[in-house]
Amino acid sequence: MAKILLVEDSEQIWDFLSRRLERRGHAVVMAHDGEAGVNTAKAALPDVILLDMNLPVIDGWTAAGMLKADPATQ
């Protein structure tokens, strides 16, 4: 199954989503703000990134642009 990075700052949402994804056999890595999401994506190299757009530190739009521009995360 896929390795999924879940970047979400709401505890209720990430708890719900991570449990559902793990029950379906996916490996879930989590980050709780945009900066941690970018750093985790570079380190963990997930297959899929689920990225909330309204994140603290670095918003999701900026984080997505940073990941798209970085060849190491392609």
Side-chain angles (χ1 to χ4, degrees):
M1 287 289 173
K3 181 187 227 179
I4 299 174
L5 170 59
L6 175 58
V7 187
E8 174 59 61
D9 66 334
S10 170
E11 183 176 341
Q12 295 83 7
I13 294 173
W14 60 253
D15 183 51
F16 172 77
L17 287 175
S18 65
R19 284 186 288 123
R20 290 193 55 111
L21 291 166
E22 287 171 345
R23 273 195 303 243
R24 286 168 173 73
H26 299 288
V28 178
V29 179
M30 290 189 283
H32 303 293
D33 65 60
E35 183 177 32
V38 170
N39 294 336
T40 303
K42 290 178 181 180
L45 300 175
D47 301 311
V48 177
I49 300 173
L50 299 176
L51 182 64
D52 183 2
M53 292 296 113
N54 188 25
L55 294 167
V57 184
I58 297 174
D59 68 270
W61 296 106
T62 304
M66 292 169 72
L67 291 169
K68 184 177 179 184
D70 187 346
T73 59
Q74 301 297 313

